[in-house]
Amino acid sequence: MNFLFKRSPLILLLTSRYIRGSRVTGLLSLKSRVSFIVMAVGVSLLIVVLSIFNGFQRQLKESLWQGGEHITIESSSNGGEIRDYQKIIQFIEKTPELQSRILAVEGGIQSHGLIQRYNIFYPVLIKAVPVTSVEDLLAHKLPSFPRVVHYNRDELTQMSKENFIILGKEMEDLYNFGLGKQLTLAVPGGRFSLGKGVEVSVENFRVSGFFKTGNYKFDSSFVYMALPTAQRFFKMREAVNQITIKVKSLDDLAFCKRKLHRLFSDAEFEREVESAASLSVRTIAEEQENLLAALKLEKTIISIIVFSFIILAALGMVASVYSLVRAKRKSIGVLKALGLPSSDILLIFTLNAMLVGILASLIGGVTGIFLANSLESIVGGIEEIINMFGPDFAALSGSDWSPVELVPKRIYYFDQIPVDINIAFIFMVTTAATILSGIAGYFPARWAASLNPVDTIRND
C-alpha cells in the first residue's frame, strides 16, 4: 500500500485529517488555538507598533528636512565671518559630483539673540537667508526658507530693505507675538575686543509673517529675516557666518560631506579662498544624532518585546504538537503499519504547525493593517467614551474633571497620529511567524516519525 501514500497532496491531506480525527475542528486543539491567538495578536501588535514608530520617524525627518539646513559650512577664523563666501559657492556649484545631489547652496547668517516684548526678554535663534522674490517665498520655492503660513504681503516685498521679520508659528501663541507687532531684537554686533568686549546691536523690527515646519523646537525659537537686513544688523557688511546646502536625499549627506572636505583641501581652492584652512562641515544628521538614535533604540526595544509574543506562541506550538502526537499514537502506528513512510509522518505534523502559523500570520497581518489605518478613529472613539462618562465618575468622587486627550497633539506636534505601513516589513514578519511555526512543529514531528508501529499499536 506504499503507493497510496506517495507524493499525492490529496492523500497527504486525507491522512493528516485521519490522524487528527474526522472533525474539522480537530485541526486546532485547545493548545493550538491558544498558540494561534497569541501568534495572531503578536503579529498584529508588531505591525501596529512598528507602523507608528515608522510614522514618527518619517514625520520627524520631514520636519527636520523642511526646517533646517542639511549641510552647514562654517569658519573658525575672522570671528566666524566668511568674506569670500561667493567664491566658495562657485567652487561647490561647479563640482560635478555635487551638482547632481545638491538642490541649493547659499550664504547666510545664524546667531543667538534676545527678543524684547513688554520689558521681557526671550532667547531666540536668528536666521538670515537671501530672499530673491516674494513670489518665490510665498510659493515655497526658496529651499532654505520654511513654509510661510500667515503674512503681510506688502511688508514681505520690503524684507531686504526694511526691518521686517518672520517668526515661527508657535511663537504667536507662546509669547502673543501677533502679526504687525513691533519687537526689539538684540544681537552681538561687530568684532569682539578686550577693551569693549562684545558690542551689542539693538534695533526694532516688525512681525510681517509666520512660518511652520512641523518641528516644535524650530517653530518656537527661530526668527527669519532677509540676508541684506541681517548684514546691516549684525554689522557684517558683505560677509556671512555660514554657507548652507540643501541636498536631495538624506542618503547624500555623508557623500557630500566627504566631497566637500576633499574640495577644501584642493590646491586651487586653497589658493583662491582665503579662509580655506578654517572651514568645517557638519550635517543635520550629526546635529540630531542623539534624537534619531533614541527613536531607533526605542523602536528596536519595542520590536523585541512584541516579537517575544510570536516566539512564545511558537513555543506553545511545540507543546500542542507534542500533545497531538501523544493523542494520535495509535493512528500513527496503524498508518505506518499500512506503509505510510516516516518522512510523510514528519511532513504531516510539520505542515500542521506551519498551517497554524500561516493562518495566524494572515489574520494577524490583516488585523494589524486594519488597526494601523483606523488608529486615529479608534483613539478618538476611546477619548469620546472616556470624556462622556468621566464627568459622572468625577462627580461621584467629588473631584474635578478635565477632558482627556490620549495623544496630546500639542505636545507631539502633529495633526493626526502618524502611521507608515511598510508592506515589506509585514511580509517579513508573517514569513518569520510561519517559519517559526514550522520549526516548532518539526521536533515533535520527528518524534512522531520515529515511533515504532508495533509498540504504539500494542501499548495503545
Side-chain angles (χ1 to χ4, degrees), residues 18-21 23 26 29-31 319-334 349 444 447-448 451 456 460:
Y18 170 72
I19 290 176
R20 289 189 296 267
R23 294 179 302 166
S29 63
L30 178 60
K31 292 182 178 179
S320 64
V321 177
Y322 263 117
S323 299
L324 180 62
V325 171
R326 291 182 64 87
K328 300 299 180 181
R329 282 167 56 93
K330 184 175 182 180
S331 300
I332 295 171
V334 171
F349 284 98
W447 177 54
L451 291 176
T456 53
D460 294 333

Side-chain angles (χ1 to χ4, degrees), residues 274-412:
E274 177 187 354
S275 58
S278 65
L279 296 178
S280 62
V281 182
R282 56 184 171 85
T283 67
I284 191 172
E286 294 169 345
E287 294 176 358
Q288 303 295 333
E289 183 178 5
N290 291 337
L291 177 59
L292 295 175
L295 279 178
K296 186 176 181 180
L297 179 61
E298 290 178 2
K299 177 180 175 181
T300 302
I301 293 174
I302 294 296
S303 300
I304 293 173
I305 293 173
V306 178
F307 195 73
S308 62
F309 280 94
I310 300 177
I311 297 176
L312 179 64
L315 294 175
M317 194 74 65
V318 175
S320 64
V321 177
Y322 263 117
S323 299
L324 180 62
V325 171
R326 291 182 64 87
K328 300 299 180 181
R329 282 167 56 93
K330 184 175 182 180
S331 300
I332 295 171
V334 171
L335 289 173
K336 293 191 72 173
L338 291 174
L340 184 66
S342 297
S343 59
D344 287 355
I345 295 290
L346 178 67
L347 182 62
I348 288 169
F349 284 98
T350 303
L351 288 178
N352 175 59
M354 288 190 70
L355 182 60
V356 175
I358 291 172
L359 291 175
S361 299
L362 290 176
I363 294 176
V366 172
T367 304
I369 294 173
F370 172 77
L371 291 175
N373 285 324
S374 308
L375 196 60
E376 185 74 24
S377 302
I378 293 172
V379 172
I382 295 174
E383 286 180 358
E384 289 183 5
I385 293 174
I386 293 175
N387 291 324
M388 181 184 300
F389 297 101
D392 297 332
F393 287 105
L396 292 175
S397 61
S399 58
D400 296 330
W401 172 260
S402 57
V404 172
E405 192 175 3
L406 296 179
V407 184
K409 295 179 174 58
R410 173 109 183 141
I411 295 176
Y412 294 107

